[in-house]
């Protein structure tokens, strides 16, 4: 009988097979992933994952997990009008969906009624328009709110939206204590990555405390906050960053609520979390396990006594940023892999993205495939039969431990520097995430990170794909008519009195949700309720400050990159200054990952980049372009307002005598819209998956430089 092989024996054999090539994988999280894990890796740090249903809940918050009850299929959806969204919900529920997750349009997110002049291009485009209780009643028509769990992704206008939901249920005959679901209500991550805020940080935190207080008293089955790492994930955060900042946000909210006198065990059991799930399969599984471990630790430190308070319960969503416009049916595969990671990691509910969401809202066809992905996993794959089936995996356990350690280092830094609210105000978490995003984009552009169908195995010719298109003008007209009717029919004096009471409550210590519920009952609109608080709190504004040096460092020594820099230098010599580009964010979409990455990369390449403020109108963008005397404007579009906002900007520049300023567009723009934009005067269009170095080369050509095509670059 031969001796048992040792690790040394394995190493020698593996080295021989790969001829000495290093098989260590350095992940973006700074984790060195080995090609082999053993029992020593899993147990060497002495961290016991325990059993499912028992603290620290690493293996799951329920003892039986999916063997007892599968995760909830909760598809995120909302578009156009309340009527169309309601019909879509009812079709999906009939087809097997178990919970609702409402997507609101950007006008609603930002606290504007549909008739506000700043939201002309945003109404009904990236979610459902909700201006009043009347809209909310239509949204949930024939959906029994005492039986249906409802999740609402809302942060900025969280007060009026939750108030409308409460009154819609009331007028359906359902009392508050019977309502179940979640309101996102996570404002700290908005200041970090998503930017759909309304009020400054301090009053925003007060609003969160008021909601936690109100729901703990009146809505015991409702989750008062969903602390979101998803939007950090989508903004480019690594798994470690997403973990650390999400858990730190949760701790900040808990401390804020405790500071108002609430007992931690009275509200902590209704806090929930929301994570994004990307393509690093085992990393995402380990992330959810690490999150539960970390939260148990945090809540124990804060003095929670109930084990229920220490359970991290989470919803997950497959990644939107991993979806590609190119070869889009690959997205079905990506979503399936991510859904498996979420379920093997132990999520409580899940949304699976549709294959066409890289460029548009999902069609019924793509939504069905996305929903059925989950149903097949539940019904056919055997995943639900065993609790934490990857528990005990040497790799998964070691990875979980490493994520816990690395995330805790960041959490300790947050604590040492005064808490998450201060960290957000100081800006370093946002900068850290943007650095990761720029590094990731550089890796994709160079081909170091493979995206099938984009930078490898690309199709010679893409097939056209049908996408959902929303008639923004028609939706807005309909919303305005409903608003006008509601205002004409309401008791105006009673409504204004309720709004005045809300303003006075905001000035003092009144619970603003309780006061908004009364205003909603009196038929105050979303914009009016938001304005009543804005009169006291003010409206928060910020301007992006993209990071520098990350993209350039990743491309050091690259011939094509050097060629672009030489081109920028040549244009600079001809102009007597650097070529100047304004990166503009028009409309109410606050997602700025793409715009910031472009600004960061172009700055590193030598362009003079002006990062425009968020939420500009075309007129404000024109004024800034003229004031800065730019050569080009890059309009970033992620929320389908490009067909309205970009042509308006072009016309305004023409009227100002500056039709020479080149306009290019980037972001989430369906190919079927390209011809419309070109006819409107757009000279370059760069959709998802575009290589930023080649975008820069193209823009140099537009500015008159004889830039050689990519194939002439020396490798």
């Amino acid at each position: 009988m031969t001796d048992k092989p040792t690790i040394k024996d394995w190493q020698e054999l593996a080295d021989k097979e790969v001829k000495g090539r290093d098989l260590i994988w350095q992940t973006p999280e700074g984790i060195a992933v080995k090609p082999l894990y053993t029992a020593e890796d899993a147990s060497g740090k002495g961290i016991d994952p325990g059993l499912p249903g028992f603290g620290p809940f690493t293996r799951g918050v329920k003892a039986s997990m999916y063997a007892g009850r599968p995760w909830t299929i909760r598809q995120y959806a909302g578009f156009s009008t309340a009527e169309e969204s309601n019909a879509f919900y009812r079709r999906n529920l009939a087809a097997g969906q178990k919970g609702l997750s409402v997507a609101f349009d950007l006008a609603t997110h930002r606290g504007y009624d549909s008739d506000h002049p700043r939201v002309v291009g945003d109404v009904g485009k990236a979610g459902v328009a909700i201006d009043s209780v009347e809209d909310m009643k239509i949204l949930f028509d024939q959906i029994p709110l005492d039986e249906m769990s409802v999740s609402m992704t809302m942060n900025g206008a969280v007060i009026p939206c939750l108030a409308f939901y409460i009154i819609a249920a009331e007028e359906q005959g359902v009392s508050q204590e019977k309502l179940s679901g979640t309101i996102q209500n996570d404002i700290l991550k908005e200041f970090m990555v998503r930017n759909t805020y309304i009020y400054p940080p301090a009053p925003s935190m007060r609003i969160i405390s008021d909601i936690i207080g109100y729901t703990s008293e009146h809505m015991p089955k409702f989750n008062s906050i969903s602390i979101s790492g998803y939007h950090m994930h989508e903004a480019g955060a690594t798994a470690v960053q997403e973990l650390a900042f999400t858990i730190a946000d949760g701790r900040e909210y808990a401390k804020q609520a405790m500071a108002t006198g609430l007992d931690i065990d009275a509200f902590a059991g209704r806090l929930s979390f929301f994570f994004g799930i990307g393509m690093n399969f085992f990393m995402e599984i380990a992330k959810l396990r690490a999150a539960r471990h970390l939260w148990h630790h945090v809540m124990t430190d804060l003095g929670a006594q109930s084990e229920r308070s220490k359970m991290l319960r989470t919803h997950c969503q497959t990644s939107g940023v991993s979806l590609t416009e190119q070869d889009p049916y690959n997205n079905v595969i990506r979503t399936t892999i991510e859904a498996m990671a979420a379920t093997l990691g132990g999520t409580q509910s899940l949304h699976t993205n549709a294959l066409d969401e890289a460029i548009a809202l999902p069609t019924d066809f793509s939504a069905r495939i996305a929903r059925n992905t989950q149903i097949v996993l539940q019904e056919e794959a055997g995943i639900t039969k065993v609790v934490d089936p990857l528990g005990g995996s040497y790799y998964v356990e070691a990875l979980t431990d490493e994520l816990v350690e690395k995330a805790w280092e960041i959490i300790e830094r947050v604590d040492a520097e005064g808490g998450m609210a201060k960290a957000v105000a100081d800006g370093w978490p946002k900068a850290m995430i943007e650095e990761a995003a720029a590094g990731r984009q550089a890796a994709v552009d160079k081909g170091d990170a493979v995206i099938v169908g984009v930078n490898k195995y690309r199709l010679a010719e893409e097939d056209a794909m049908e996408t959902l298109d929303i008639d923004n003008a028609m939706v807005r007209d309909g919303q305005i008519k409903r608003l006008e009717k509601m205002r004409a029919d309401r008791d105006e004096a009673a409504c204004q009195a309720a709004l005045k009471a809300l303003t006075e409550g905001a000035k003092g210590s009144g619970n603003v949700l309780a006061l908004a519920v009364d205003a909603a009952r009196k038929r105050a609109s979303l914009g009016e309720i938001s304005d009543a608080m804005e009169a006291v709190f003010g409206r928060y504004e910020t301007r992006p400050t993209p990071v520098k040096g990350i993209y350039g460092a990743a491309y050091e020594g690259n011939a094509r990159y050097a060629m672009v820099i030489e081109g920028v230098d040549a244009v600079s010599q001809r102009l007597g200054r650097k070529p100047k580009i304004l990166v503009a964010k028009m409309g109410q979409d606050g997602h700025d990952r793409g715009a910031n990455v472009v600004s960061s990369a172009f700055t590193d390449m030598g362009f003079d980049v002006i990062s425009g403020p968020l939420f500009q109108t075309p007129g404000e963008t024109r004024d800034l372009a003229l004031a800065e005397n730019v050569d080009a404007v890059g309009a970033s579009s992620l929320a389908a307002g490009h067909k309205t906002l970009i042509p308006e900007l072009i016309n305004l520049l023409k009227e100002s005598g500056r039709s020479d300023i080149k306009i290019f567009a980037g972001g989430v723009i369906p190919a079927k819209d390209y011809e419309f934009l070109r006819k409107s005067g757009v000279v370059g269009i760069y959709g998802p998956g575009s290589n930023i170095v080649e975008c820069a080369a193209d823009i140099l050509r537009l500015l008159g430089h004889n830039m050689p095509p990519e194939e002439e670059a020396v490798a």
Side-chain angles (χ1 to χ4, degrees):
M1 188 172 179
T2 58
D3 293 336
K4 185 177 179 181
T6 65
I7 290 293
K8 185 173 180 293
D9 295 329
W10 171 83
Q11 187 68 61
E12 288 174 354
L13 183 58
D15 285 345
K16 183 179 178 182
E17 290 174 355
V18 301
K19 298 180 173 58
R21 178 163 52 90
D22 186 6
L23 297 180
I24 300 290
W25 173 32
Q26 299 291 339
T27 76
E29 291 77 13
I31 293 172
V33 174
K34 302 187 298 182
L36 178 70
Y37 285 78
T38 67
E40 186 177 338
D41 296 295
S43 61
K45 295 174 183 173
I47 299 177
D48 180 7
L51 290 169
F54 297 92
F57 304 111
T58 308
R59 302 194 64 188
V61 294
K62 298 289 186 182
S64 58
M65 286 301 290
Y66 307 145
R69 178 185 173 187
W71 66 90
T72 300
I73 301 171
R74 190 189 302 276
Q75 292 297 91
Y76 179 56
F79 58 93
S80 173
T81 64
E83 290 92 341
E84 290 197 43
S85 294
N86 173 262
F88 186 74
Y89 292 161
R90 284 161 53 192
R91 290 195 299 273
N92 287 355
L93 292 169
Q97 186 175 310
K98 301 299 184 184
L100 292 179
S101 185
V102 182
F104 298 93
D105 75 354
L106 292 166
T108 304
H109 273 289
R110 294 271 292 147
Y112 295 117
D113 288 334
S114 296
D115 59 357
H116 197 284
R118 298 194 74 85
V119 299
V120 172
D122 294 306
V123 177
K125 292 296 282 188
V128 61
I130 298 293
D131 291 317
S132 72
V133 166
E134 299 301 328
D135 290 333
M136 195 71 83
K137 287 171 69 176
I138 294 167
L139 187 68
F140 295 119
D141 182 43
Q142 299 182 57
I143 296 173
L145 293 178
D146 55 344
E147 299 175 13
M148 183 59 60
S149 173
V150 175
S151 173
M152 291 179 282
T153 300
M154 177 52 66
N155 302 279
V158 62
I159 289 292
C161 285
L162 189 50
F164 293 161
Y165 170 66
I166 290 167
I167 299 301
E170 180 182 289
E171 296 184 8
Q172 199 184 85
V174 178
S175 58
Q176 296 180 53
E177 69 269 12
K178 294 179 180 177
L179 295 174
S180 65
T182 304
I183 189 83
Q184 190 164 98
N185 193 28
D186 176 8
I187 204 65
L188 286 175
K189 68 93 177 49
E190 296 294 330
F191 293 115
M192 271 195 284
V193 292
R194 191 166 176 252
N195 300 310
T196 49
Y197 42 68
I198 300 175
Y199 313 111
S204 295
M205 293 295 287
R206 183 265 184 89
I207 285 170
I208 287 171
S209 295
D210 282 3
I211 290 172
I212 292 173
Y214 183 95
T215 54
S216 62
E217 181 178 354
H218 300 290
M219 303 167 71
K221 296 168 64 178
F222 197 82
N223 299 322
S224 55
I225 190 168
S226 175
I227 303 138
S228 175
Y230 178 84
H231 302 95
M232 301 179 205
H233 173 96
E234 294 293 277
T238 67
V240 168
Q241 292 166 354
E242 182 186 358
L243 261 180
F245 295 136
T246 305
I247 297 298
D249 279 352
R251 182 170 66 172
E252 190 84 2
Y253 295 135
K255 289 170 72 174
Q256 179 82 8
M258 291 165 69
T260 67
L262 287 172
D263 177 69
I264 189 169
D265 288 314
F267 67 83
R270 300 310 318 173
L271 303 179
S272 66
F273 287 79
F274 176 26
F275 288 100
I277 304 295
M279 283 297 290
N280 189 348
F281 184 73
F282 292 103
M283 185 73 74
E284 299 299 333
I285 293 166
K287 182 175 76 182
L288 296 184
R289 302 172 94 252
R292 292 191 290 269
H293 182 101
L294 286 164
W295 187 242
H296 185 275
H297 184 71
V298 164
M299 296 306 284
T300 301
D301 280 355
L302 289 178
Q305 298 299 309
S306 167
E307 284 298 287
R308 186 169 175 270
S309 299
K310 304 175 187 180
M311 294 179 181
L312 182 143
R313 295 163 302 110
T314 190
H315 171 72
C316 288
Q317 181 172 339
T318 60
S319 175
V321 79
S322 70
L323 303 177
T324 66
E325 178 185 26
Q326 299 81 5
D327 206 357
Y329 290 102
N330 289 337
N331 294 335
V332 177
I333 305 163
R334 293 185 178 102
T335 294
T336 302
I337 291 168
E338 292 167 351
M340 288 181 65
T343 57
L344 291 171
T347 189
Q348 275 68 62
S349 69
L350 179 61
H351 165 92
T352 35
N353 286 328
L355 66 96
D356 48 1
E357 286 189 77
I359 51 172
L361 290 169
T363 62
D364 275 11
F365 169 76
S366 66
R368 176 172 63 84
I369 293 173
R371 182 180 60 253
N372 285 352
T373 300
Q374 295 196 55
I375 295 174
V376 169
L377 289 179
Q378 283 192 357
E379 301 290 348
E380 298 185 30
I383 288 174
T384 63
K385 305 300 184 184
V386 176
V387 180
D388 188 28
L390 290 181
S393 159
Y394 303 144
Y395 178 34
V396 170
E397 298 293 0
L399 199 54
T400 301
D401 293 351
E402 194 149 8
L403 285 173
V404 166
E405 287 184 4
K406 287 185 175 294
W408 192 249
E409 288 174 8
I410 296 177
I411 293 169
E412 285 185 320
R413 177 186 171 184
V414 170
D415 194 45
E417 296 186 16
M420 201 60 198
K422 186 176 184 300
V424 168
D426 292 343
W428 65 265
K430 183 177 180 66
M432 189 180 285
I433 292 170
E434 287 185 3
E435 287 174 3
R440 167 68 179 176
Q441 186 62 47
V444 171
D445 286 351
K446 288 174 66 183
D448 295 341
V450 173
I451 310 292
V452 175
V454 175
N455 62 3
K456 197 172 184 180
Y457 311 111
R458 186 154 185 174
L459 294 176
E461 187 174 335
E462 298 279 349
D463 292 330
M465 187 171 62
E466 284 296 314
T467 56
L468 184 66
D469 195 19
I470 303 296
D471 187 338
N472 163 241
M474 184 186 73
V475 175
R476 188 166 184 261
D477 287 345
Q479 290 298 121
I480 291 172
K481 286 176 183 172
R482 189 178 292 151
L483 269 170
E484 289 172 346
K485 184 178 186 307
M486 184 193 71
R487 288 169 179 155
D489 293 346
R490 72 191 182 187
D491 183 332
E492 190 64 25
C495 180
Q496 292 304 321
L499 289 168
K500 185 179 179 182
L502 175 57
T503 298
E504 291 302 312
K507 287 179 184 175
S509 58
N511 187 293
V512 291
L513 177 55
L515 293 162
V517 167
D518 186 55
R521 192 178 285 115
K522 305 292 177 27
R523 281 346 192 230
S525 72
L526 176 129
E528 291 168 330
I529 291 172
S530 298
D531 288 349
M533 292 185 290
E534 187 179 335
V536 179
F537 299 152
R539 183 173 280 264
Y540 186 74
E541 295 180 0
T542 188
R543 189 162 180 165
T545 52
V547 297
K548 298 177 181 178
I550 304 298
Y551 206 90
Y555 263 92
E556 188 174 356
N558 181 275
R560 184 59 170 173
Y561 188 81
M563 194 178 288
V564 171
I565 290 177
E566 289 171 6
V568 174
D569 288 342
V571 173
S572 299
Q573 290 176 21
R574 175 164 56 82
L575 297 175
R577 57 170 174 78
K578 292 181 177 181
K580 186 180 279 192
I581 293 175
L582 167 61
V583 177
K585 286 290 295 182
M586 295 184 290
Q588 297 304 306
D589 175 46
H591 295 86
D592 58 357
R593 173 179 179 166
N596 288 344
V597 167
V598 168
S599 296
S600 178
F602 272 52
T603 299
D604 286 358
M605 285 184 274
F607 289 85
D608 185 0
V609 179
I610 308 298
S611 290
L614 300 174
F615 315 121
Q616 285 198 309
T617 64
E620 290 165 343
T621 300
R622 182 268 319 269
D623 293 344
L624 183 58
L626 296 179
E628 294 286 351
N629 192 29
V630 301
D631 301 297
V633 176
S636 173
S637 176
L638 292 179
H642 49 269
K643 291 175 73 175
T644 302
L645 301 171
I646 296 176
E648 185 179 343
L649 171 63
I650 292 170
N651 289 332
L652 288 170
L653 286 169
K654 284 180 181 175
E655 291 171 5
S656 302
R658 290 301 308 273
S659 56
D660 60 301
I661 295 176
K662 305 289 193 294
I663 306 296
F664 58 93
V668 181
I669 302 175
K672 67 180 182 181
D673 292 348
Y674 284 14
E675 188 60 26
F676 171 87
L677 291 174
R678 290 189 181 107
K679 286 180 178 178
S680 300
V682 176
V683 295
I685 304 170
Y686 311 105
S690 297
N691 183 296
I692 293 182
V693 175
E694 291 310 312
C695 293
D698 195 42
I699 288 164
L700 287 174
R701 284 189 285 269
L702 293 172
L703 295 177
H705 179 66
N706 186 24
M707 187 71 199
E710 183 179 5
E711 57 267 21
E712 292 184 22
V714 181

